[in-house]
Amino acid sequence: MNIQQLEQINAYSWRLPRLFDEKRSEVLLYGSEVLLETMDDKVLEQIRNVAMLPGLVGPAMTMPDAHWGYGFPIGGVAAFDAEQGGIISAGGVGFDISCGIRCLRTNLRVHEIEDDLENLADLLYARIPAGLGTTGDLRLTVPELDEVLRKGAKWALKQGYGLPEDLAFIEEGGCMENAEPDFVSDLAKKRQLGEMGTLGSGNHYLEVQVVEKIYDEEAARAFGISEGQILISIHCGSRGLGHQIGSDYMVILAKEARRLGITIPDRELACVPILSDAGQRYIGAMNAGINCALANRQILTHLTREVFGILFTGSSVDTLYDVSHNTCKKERHIVDGKARDLWVHRKGATRAFGPGHRQLPPEYRSVGQPVIIGGSMGTGSYILAGSDTSEARSFASASHGAGRAMSRHQAKKRWSGREVLDRLKGEGILIRSDSMRGISEEAPEAYKDVDEVAKVTEEAGLARRVAFLSPKVCIKG
DNA sequence: ATGTGC
């Protein structure tokens, strides 16, 4: 991206000046010079288009890890007021509805597992279903799946997956309200009947990590983490169901937008008023997709616990937090001193409630919501916490990952999967995957510098760094 | 992301 066209506000935020006849809201980009310079021009084009949508409140924003996506950029944040004609867009949520990260903390130190890493990798790989089109052990009927879609992680718990104390550390307590299975197509449900408790493919993973460095002692204490501790991060979403809901509603909302005479700058931005019938149906279906993802990560948490229970007798595995990356949620935010209910699209962006937020579990309330920036296979991840400035800067949103720097196609041409695997093994990182092609597409170098993303996220006031985690074992989809 | 796809 040519940053000459941007107006720099400070070291980590930039605005796109409006042409004299340009009808749109403010566009705000968070990022350092180097992150923005390497960002695709498409990101700017896409977020400028978002700024033209009806009912937008505040600026259309991109997070430091933004990259090109379908309609909205990934790393895009935009809030809309339903009462002022605000819209909802399936492209603003993304295909993998409620894709996110469940972070687990163990009572193990790195030296206690070091000699068992190969076994751990093998057993996790054997027990965690991963890869495109993979099914799990569960075969649900449609009425059973409807219950999953209504109850989310609470359903999984009732089936014996997980511990009751997990729920308090999942966004929405593990169950998104107002989920409407009736607004989810039969095809979407059919695709999901065998896919509960599966990781999926692409950038999804289950990673065993060690806490390498603590940045914020107080927050680390609240999150129950310290240097040398073993954590596990599970990155996955709503599988075939979420994808099918996205595909279905992309068509439905586009048709409805045409009927309502809503003009959009890009057909991928198909959207309808939040208060319209189609808008309400999409919200009901999306919420069902969120519950599917929450239940999915809950089952995977249970499978992970089983593996750790087999290999490390007496170990404990607790939920640190579960964050979603692809959602649109109704939240109360202060705008110009006034509280307003806004529908915040976060596509490839993490909710980052600051200290004191009532929806946070009491244990974390004084330090802010855990924000997890998932790295790529070789480069490590960060845990951050929502800060006092998060709400004013970004409607309490922050980066979600390293963000791609290179297309999958480019990455595949550059490295072979074997090459990447061997190199990582040399660095002491064990990878297990069915897909060599996936490994080459997911090469660490195909991603932005996660250290830079985390640092800039903090310096932009979106969230503050708490801990850096380095990978030991990675099960890739 | 995805029973990878105009």
Side-chain angles (χ1 to χ4, degrees), chain A residues 65-122:
Chain A
D65 57 336
H67 57 112
W68 170 81
Y70 184 95
F72 276 53
I74 293 156
V77 174
F80 296 85
D81 187 337
E83 306 295 332
Q84 313 232 322
I87 55 84
I88 186 152
S89 161
V93 172
F95 280 93
D96 191 3
I97 295 167
S98 195
C99 176
I101 297 183
R102 168 80 68 110
C103 186
L104 308 172
R105 90 188 140 226
T106 73
N107 60 347
L108 296 163
R109 319 304 297 179
V110 62
H111 66 85
E112 295 175 83
I113 74 160
E114 234 144 26
D115 294 340
D116 286 316
L117 285 185
E118 292 280 352
N119 281 340
L120 179 58
D122 288 341

Side-chain angles (χ1 to χ4, degrees), chain A residues 234-289:
Chain A
I234 303 169
H235 177 209
C236 66
S238 50
R239 308 287 287 111
L241 179 118
H243 189 268
Q244 192 61 48
I245 292 172
S247 305
D248 291 341
Y249 277 91
M250 217 66 87
V251 177
I252 295 169
L253 299 192
K255 226 181 253 172
E256 194 59 13
R258 244 192 331 270
R259 197 180 70 83
L260 295 170
I262 298 171
T263 52
I264 43 171
D266 171 2
R267 55 185 289 277
E268 293 184 358
L269 285 177
C271 61
V272 295
I274 293 159
L275 296 179
S276 67
D277 186 53
Q280 291 298 302
R281 292 174 77 87
Y282 175 65
I283 288 167
M286 174 192 59
N287 286 341

Side-chain angles (χ1 to χ4, degrees), chain A residues 87-232:
Chain A
I87 55 84
I88 186 152
S89 161
V93 172
F95 280 93
D96 191 3
I97 295 167
S98 195
C99 176
I101 297 183
R102 168 80 68 110
C103 186
L104 308 172
R105 90 188 140 226
T106 73
N107 60 347
L108 296 163
R109 319 304 297 179
V110 62
H111 66 85
E112 295 175 83
I113 74 160
E114 234 144 26
D115 294 340
D116 286 316
L117 285 185
E118 292 280 352
N119 281 340
L120 179 58
D122 288 341
L123 198 54
L124 283 170
Y125 185 54
R127 301 296 278 266
I128 306 286
L132 190 64
T134 314
T135 51
D137 289 339
L138 277 166
R139 291 292 175 279
L140 301 182
T141 63
V142 171
E144 284 169 334
L145 183 65
D146 283 351
E147 219 27 43
V148 175
L149 303 188
R150 268 189 282 266
K151 292 283 185 288
K154 284 186 181 169
W155 173 86
L157 198 71
K158 226 167 75 186
Q159 305 303 309
Y161 299 107
L163 305 169
E165 50 269 35
D166 289 332
L167 294 181
F169 300 97
I170 306 174
E171 287 186 25
E172 324 298 335
C175 174
M176 192 74 203
E177 281 176 30
N178 304 317
E180 301 289 352
D182 289 353
F183 299 156
V184 176
S185 70
D186 292 342
L187 177 59
K189 291 177 190 177
K190 188 173 152 224
R191 285 181 63 174
Q192 193 61 31
L193 296 176
E195 287 196 346
M196 290 311 299
T198 63
L199 198 56
S201 66
N203 65 0
H204 290 167
Y205 59 78
L206 181 149
E207 202 168 84
V208 179
Q209 305 156 323
V210 54
V211 179
E212 210 64 61
K213 182 178 171 170
I214 298 288
Y215 289 86
D216 181 326
E217 285 291 346
E218 188 198 351
R221 237 191 331 273
F223 294 165
I225 55 175
S226 58
E227 269 177 36
Q229 186 175 353
I230 296 297
L231 305 185
I232 303 141

Side-chain angles (χ1 to χ4, degrees), chain A residues 334-345:
Chain A
I334 309 291
V335 183
D336 299 327
K338 257 179 59 188
R340 287 170 74 175
D341 286 327
L342 303 176
W343 288 83
V344 185
H345 291 72

